[in-house]
Amino acid sequence: MTIAAFGFTAASNVLSRAVEARADSFALRITGEPRAFIGFERRIALRNISDPAPPGVWQILFGTHPTTVQRIGIGKAYEEAH
């Protein structure tokens, strides 16, 4: 049962990361402020003392949100496109 729960959690985290990435994209479309978005991501990573790019396996198994590096990438991609 523990192995099944672990597998379910990892699969649920994949869905959660996709939803969070869409929410980031939506926020950028609504505000049109990629510089503020990127600045916020940098500040919150420093304030939380988080790893901006955790090891891939760790992110796949336990990450519920895109990494800071991925989120900054979303902001930069929006900025370049607009």
Side-chain angles (χ1 to χ4, degrees):
M1 182 150 12
T2 301
I3 293 171
F6 185 73
F8 176 74
T9 299
S12 175
N13 288 346
V14 169
L15 177 62
S16 177
R17 285 191 301 272
V19 168
E20 289 294 332
R22 282 194 306 267
D24 291 343
S25 294
F26 179 75
L28 284 164
R29 284 193 313 272
I30 294 297
T31 65
E33 296 288 340
R35 291 275 97 208
F37 178 85
I38 292 167
F40 171 78
E41 290 301 329
R42 288 181 175 153
R43 283 190 311 276
I44 198 163
L46 291 172
R47 193 168 289 152
N48 290 338
I49 312 172
S50 66
D51 185 350
V57 172
W58 184 265
Q59 178 66 7
I60 290 169
L61 296 176
F62 304 110
T64 57
H65 292 69
T67 66
T68 300
V69 170
Q70 290 168 330
R71 285 183 145 171
I72 289 172
I74 290 169
K76 287 186 180 231
Y78 179 87
E79 185 176 46
E80 290 174 8
H82 297 89

